[in-house]
Amino acid sequence: MKKNNQRLVHLVQLVQLVILATLTMPMTAQNKLFTLEDLNFGGTNYGNMQPKNMWLTWWGDQLIQTDVEDCYTIDVKTGQKAKLFTLDDINKWAESDDVKYVRHLMNATFPYPDKPLVLVGNRKAVILVDFKEKKVVWQDSIAGQTANDWNAVSKATAYVDNHQLFVVDGEGHKNQLSTDGSREIVYGQSVHRNEFGIEKGTFWSPDGQRLAFYRMDQSMVTDYPQVDIFPRSATYEPDKYPMAGGTTHTVTVGVYNINTKETVYLNTPNIIKGGNALAPVYFPLKSDSPTDSVCYFTNIAWSPDSKTIYMFELNRKQNDCRLVSYDATTGERITELYRETSDKYVEPLHPIQFLPWDDTKFIMQSQKDGYNHLYLFDINGKELKQITKGEWGVMEVLGFNKKQKSIIFKANKEHPLHHRLYSVDMTSKIRQLETTDGVHSATLSPSGNFLIDRFSTPTRPRVIDVVDITKKTPRHTNLLEAEDPWQDYQQPIFECGSIKSADGVTDLYYRMVKPADFNPEKKYPTVVYVYGGPHANNVQASWHWASRTWETYMAQKGYIVFILDNRGSQYRGRDFEQATFHQLGQIEMQDQMKGVDYLRTLPYVDMNRLGIHGWSFGGFMTISLMTNYPDVFKVGVAGGPVIDWKWYEVMYGERYMGTPQDNPEGYAKSSLISKAGNLKGKLQIITGYNDNTVVPQHCLSFLDACIKAGTQPDFFAYPGEEHNMRGHASVHLHERITQYFEDFLK
């Protein structure tokens, strides 16, 4: 008995020593904690916390890996690699100097499927290298250029320098296309504030002999008075900012011929020609409002023979969309091929695409049946058939397989949260090209025979396969299964589910992030993270259910974070997206409050410590919810918030809200100025001091309204920053957001 007691004493002492050692030893691999330097994209350790990746491209059907110092070929059947050339090789063959020096190969491209040529460069120059002959065969200086657009067929380059548009042909001869370019007359760059799928302003013909380009006259647009505070005496640096209901810019489309060195302008409805002058006239649609006189031009496409330009034209109300063809030689209008109208809005986001096996037919994307689908047309504008159909949407056309006469695309056909890969032939037979749920993105080889399939699932950080789609059952070769870069850290719990929207019918999907040591018997402060606006959604079936890393940081500090995609967000069809028409914020708040009702049913959510945070549209939603439901949310942080849509830009604002003149009730209902007196909880408003997206007038006007109403929000501005904080300022921002909840919600 005594011996047993001694053993028990020894055992207790041993356990005490183990506990003491555990408490005093350095943090183990299982309980390392994150910092914002780990989690935030501006952080010093952020890169090390991302899943392993591979930089891949195509050289015809040959898969190429482009690393910093080496390029490899990869066998699509086995995944085996062989070195093609090195960075030292390229610089040796280029006889590099300060102009031509290439610093890495990660952005190398192989523009000719049947030639051993690689395009590489830096900010000063681009060179085309023959890696079989080991010599430079073409080069172009790009120092000082913007909007650089190179054509592989003619080797001609279009670019903008000091506001003027230039073209350098394949022989190095430079031609200046404009002389009146300025801050007010903009050539060869994105127009209409990057709406309608516009990302650039130059468009080469397939044969590389003609260049279509945008010319934007914004001289009539009001300047927003931005200020650069960093010089000894602050300087005035205004932005052209067309506000909803106000005067906006006029856009025309020019076509330059490399051979004749002549430019013609498309005879679009909003211009008349008088010598070299272009003068705006009203868009010829019947209307009682002069604000309908502007036409938006988007999704420029060329015919395969380079003779015809196709373009979507949209009236200012954005409810009347027409596909129109123009003669690229004369600029004259040929015909209207298609027209789509709506009692709300039509939003063309994709150019037409000609079938590579039949240049008399093209596909067009439209939501006219309620979901974004593919339609087949002939060149006379006759709709031949609807190729895809169903209560799901085509998200991206990746390209074509000429041999199989099929279209390769991405869609959420299986589930709204899963983005999968498919092919469809002209009989509408759809084939799944991969076998794994999750969120996929892909790059198609030029022939359409192979896919680089990049995907993740809620539990798999990154997977890369190469897929041979020529087989009856597509063959997959795995190239990468990334390990969890967070495996040595204490990770939160990521969950996903659904609730019904305020209409009682529609499913809404949510993500919930809980502390790693979550105890259902405890009550936790909870933060609702919200965006809620068009062209975005927060919840997807990717790694961690697409969780933002700040949510992990908050969970680590003992919070639950809840994220719900309300009606109005993307990828759920036309009616889901357009439910918020002319009343931004109203339907969205109803759905978010259904999320709050769900949180009330959870015994571990402390409803007395409920916070909310969002940025941009999410900032608008944050203040909307705090002022419309002042007794629900104790603390909020609103970043870059829209306060009144009459101060937002024309194209986006009028699509969803109309004009203040035509929809005064909607603007009044959504404005937060009149609700400043409702504020009860602690609210911090944050903005970039030089925000050119949601201009500072929004925040400052709300502060003025709060002063008059006697309410007390807090305010912080980032000097020199625009709509989103860049670099390490983002770390500072997220620490500030976190600290506000630590100070007032915990």
Side-chain angles (χ1 to χ4, degrees):
M1 186 73 173
K2 184 176 180 182
K3 188 176 290 186
N4 287 339
N5 286 339
Q6 288 176 335
R7 287 175 179 172
L8 181 61
V9 170
H10 290 155
L11 180 60
V12 170
Q13 290 174 336
L14 179 60
V15 170
Q16 290 174 333
L17 287 172
V18 170
I19 293 174
L20 180 62
T22 302
L23 293 174
T24 57
M25 70 185 296
M27 214 172 279
T28 67
Q30 283 68 42
N31 63 7
K32 285 176 67 176
L33 298 180
F34 293 102
T35 70
L36 281 177
E37 299 291 356
D38 301 320
L39 294 173
N40 193 272
F41 62 83
T44 56
N45 197 43
Y46 178 75
N48 295 325
M49 303 305 295
Q50 300 308 296
K52 185 180 178 182
N53 203 355
M54 296 176 71
W55 281 260
L56 300 167
T57 189
W58 290 107
W59 171 26
D61 278 344
Q62 174 63 66
L63 183 60
I64 301 290
Q65 180 177 354
T66 57
D67 278 348
V68 174
E69 296 191 357
D70 302 284
C71 273
Y72 301 90
T73 60
I74 299 179
D75 189 306
V76 295
K77 294 181 180 179
T78 66
Q80 292 183 335
K81 298 194 298 184
K83 189 172 292 187
L84 188 61
F85 53 77
T86 70
L87 180 64
D88 288 341
D89 290 336
I90 292 292
N91 284 312
K92 178 181 177 182
W93 301 334
E95 300 177 350
S96 69
D97 53 30
D98 289 340
V99 173
K100 292 178 257 181
Y101 185 77
V102 180
R103 291 175 173 82
H104 65 80
L105 298 175
M106 295 168 69
N107 296 326
T109 60
F110 297 76
Y112 306 98
D114 56 347
K115 297 178 182 178
L117 300 175
V118 60
L119 190 71
V120 292
N122 58 22
R123 293 181 180 179
K124 294 183 178 180
V126 174
I127 57 176
L128 193 62
V129 179
D130 186 323
F131 50 85
K132 290 289 179 67
E133 296 295 328
K134 302 179 180 180
K135 65 180 182 180
V136 173
V137 297
W138 175 90
Q139 65 184 54
D140 182 29
S141 172
I142 59 172
Q145 300 177 8
T146 58
N148 189 283
D149 188 2
W150 180 72
N151 181 265
V153 178
S154 62
K155 298 186 179 67
T157 304
Y159 66 91
V160 175
D161 190 1
N162 194 27
H163 300 294
Q164 307 306 335
L165 180 61
F166 294 86
V167 167
V168 176
D169 65 24
E171 303 300 318
H173 304 121
K174 183 167 71 173
N175 294 282
Q176 185 169 340
L177 278 59
S178 67
T179 57
D180 60 342
S182 66
R183 187 176 72 87
E184 298 189 328
I185 308 295
V186 179
Y187 283 92
Q189 299 178 65
S190 178
V191 299
H192 303 324
R193 296 188 66 84
N194 295 79
E195 296 295 333
F196 319 112
I198 296 172
E199 296 179 349
K200 62 173 190 168
T202 54
F203 310 89
W204 282 106
S205 61
D207 64 6
Q209 300 303 308
R210 287 187 173 96
L211 177 78
F213 62 88
Y214 282 130
R215 177 189 188 271
M216 177 171 64
D217 181 354
Q218 54 182 359
S219 59
M220 69 291 287
V221 176
T222 302
D223 280 327
Y224 187 85
Q226 299 281 8
V227 176
D228 181 359
I229 68 160
F230 294 104
R232 171 65 178 83
S233 297
T235 57
Y236 178 55
E237 292 188 353
D239 286 327
K240 290 292 183 181
Y241 196 93
M243 291 186 178
T247 302
T248 187
H249 54 243
T250 298
V251 169
T252 51
V253 178
V255 184
Y256 175 74
N257 187 315
I258 286 182
N259 297 313
T260 65
K261 298 180 175 54
E262 293 180 348
T263 298
V264 298
Y265 281 88
L266 302 188
N267 192 16
T268 52
N270 73 328
I271 70 167
I272 56 175
K273 295 183 178 180
N276 293 324
L278 298 172
V281 297
Y282 286 164
F283 183 67
L285 291 178
K286 293 181 180 180
S287 172
D288 297 328
S289 171
T291 58
D292 280 343
S293 62
V294 173
C295 187
Y296 300 126
F297 303 131
T298 186
N299 301 299
I300 291 173
W302 283 90
S303 62
D305 64 7
S306 300
K307 294 180 179 179
T308 307
I309 291 175
Y310 299 86
M311 183 169 66
F312 286 100
E313 300 177 355
L314 193 63
N315 67 326
R316 181 159 174 174
K317 278 192 173 181
Q318 302 182 43
N319 61 3
D320 193 326
C321 179
R322 308 156 188 235
L323 174 63
V324 181
S325 59
Y326 289 89
D327 188 312
T329 302
T330 65
E332 292 304 313
R333 186 179 189 270
I334 299 174
T335 190
E336 178 183 303
L337 291 93
Y338 173 79
R339 184 177 185 182
E340 185 176 333
T341 60
S342 170
D343 59 353
K344 293 181 179 177
Y345 57 85
V346 182
E347 189 177 8
L349 293 171
H350 309 281
I352 64 169
Q353 294 172 278
F354 280 85
L355 301 181
W357 58 88
D358 186 349
D359 59 12
T360 67
K361 297 180 179 66
F362 62 83
I363 60 169
M364 186 190 76
Q365 299 185 48
S366 172
Q367 285 201 101
K368 64 181 181 176
D369 82 336
Y371 294 86
N372 192 53
H373 282 298
L374 305 179
Y375 296 82
L376 182 66
F377 285 79
D378 67 20
I379 55 174
N380 297 314
K382 181 181 179 181
E383 182 179 328
L384 302 177
K385 70 175 300 181
Q386 182 174 351
I387 300 174
T388 60
K389 187 180 295 184
E391 294 184 358
W392 50 272
V394 172
M395 306 169 77
E396 181 184 3
V397 172
L398 299 166
F400 301 87
N401 185 291
K402 187 174 181 178
K403 184 176 180 180
Q404 296 178 347
K405 294 185 178 180
S406 62
I407 305 166
I408 317 302
F409 66 97
K410 179 171 73 172
N412 59 356
K413 182 175 180 293
E414 313 304 317
H415 190 279
L417 302 187
H418 295 262
H419 306 170
R420 308 289 295 274
L421 305 176
Y422 307 88
S423 68
V424 61
D425 62 21
M426 294 302 100
T427 69
S428 296
K429 181 180 179 181
I430 294 178
R431 185 168 65 132
Q432 185 98 40
L433 299 179
E434 33 70 21
T435 58
T436 306
D437 283 346
V439 172
H440 294 251
S441 63
T443 305
L444 190 66
S445 67
S447 70
N449 290 332
F450 299 94
L451 279 170
I452 302 168
D453 176 19
R454 300 173 180 270
F455 69 93
S456 72
T457 74
T459 58
R460 299 169 75 185
R462 180 176 285 126
V463 184
I464 303 177
D465 289 345
V466 59
V467 185
D468 182 349
I469 65 176
T470 65
K471 307 298 182 182
K472 186 174 182 180
T473 299
R475 183 186 64 213
H476 293 68
T477 303
N478 180 251
L479 303 179
L480 174 68
E481 175 79 47
E483 292 185 352
D484 184 352
W486 294 12
Q487 60 188 344
D488 293 339
Y489 288 76
Q490 184 185 93
Q491 298 190 38
I493 300 166
F494 300 96
E495 298 177 352
C496 180
S498 67
I499 62 170
K500 293 297 182 183
S501 71
D503 66 8
V505 176
T506 307
D507 287 328
L508 303 177
Y509 296 95
Y510 69 81
R511 174 176 69 246
M512 184 176 289
V513 185
K514 298 176 179 176
D517 59 352
F518 173 74
N519 181 350
E521 302 300 319
K522 290 178 57 178
K523 281 190 173 291
Y524 292 87
T526 300
V527 175
V528 175
Y529 175 77
V530 61
Y531 181 77
H535 292 297
N537 68 319
N538 284 308
V539 187
Q540 298 178 4
S542 57
W543 192 38
H544 296 159
W545 297 103
S547 177
R548 301 170 66 250
T549 52
W550 176 77
E551 297 161 20
T552 290
Y553 192 59
M554 290 294 285
Q556 182 175 277
K557 289 184 173 291
Y559 297 84
I560 289 174
V561 186
F562 179 78
I563 303 92
L564 177 73
D565 282 332
N566 51 249
R567 283 173 292 167
S569 54
Q570 70 177 352
Y571 296 148
R572 297 292 305 279
R574 181 194 62 201
D575 295 344
F576 187 95
E577 295 169 8
Q578 295 189 353
T580 63
F581 181 68
H582 273 200
Q583 52 170 348
L584 287 179
Q586 309 311 302
I587 295 294
E588 300 94 320
M589 282 193 291
Q590 293 175 25
D591 285 354
Q592 290 295 329
M593 291 308 295
K594 284 296 180 181
V596 171
D597 289 344
Y598 170 67
L599 293 177
R600 284 196 180 96
T601 69
L602 305 178
Y604 47 81
V605 171
D606 188 345
M607 293 302 296
N608 293 318
R609 292 186 293 167
L610 187 64
I612 185 166
H613 166 52
W615 199 272
S616 193
F617 199 102
F620 163 67
M621 288 294 297
T622 295
I623 301 179
S624 294
L625 286 160
M626 287 200 71
T627 54
N628 282 277
Y629 302 92
D631 296 318
V632 174
F633 298 95
K634 183 179 180 182
V635 180
V637 179
V642 173
I643 296 298
D644 193 310
W645 290 99
K646 70 173 178 286
W647 294 318
Y648 201 67
E649 55 94 346
V650 165
M651 294 82 194
Y652 181 107
E654 291 183 3
R655 179 186 309 132
Y656 305 113
M657 289 293 291
T659 66
Q661 300 94 318
D662 294 338
N663 182 27
E665 297 85 3
Y667 275 83
K669 186 187 296 185
S670 62
S671 175
L672 301 176
I673 295 296
S674 62
K675 300 176 177 64
N678 297 346
L679 183 64
K680 287 185 178 180
K682 292 292 296 182
L683 171 65
Q684 178 175 226
I685 301 171
I686 305 176
T687 190
Y689 180 77
N690 298 99
D691 193 332
N692 54 9
T693 301
V694 182
V695 293
Q697 187 169 357
H698 289 268
C699 292
L700 298 176
S701 296
F702 187 74
L703 294 179
D704 177 66
C706 288
I707 293 168
K708 292 172 180 175
T711 51
Q712 296 283 346
D714 294 316
F715 181 64
F716 192 87
Y718 282 85
E721 294 292 336
E722 298 178 352
H723 192 51
N724 295 294
M725 305 312 113
R726 297 159 293 184
H728 206 263
S730 180
V731 176
H732 185 278
L733 166 68
H734 285 87
E735 187 59 63
R736 182 167 191 86
I737 295 168
T738 304
Q739 192 58 51
Y740 202 75
F741 289 113
E742 289 281 89
D743 289 343
F744 299 109
L745 191 61
K746 232 174 182 180

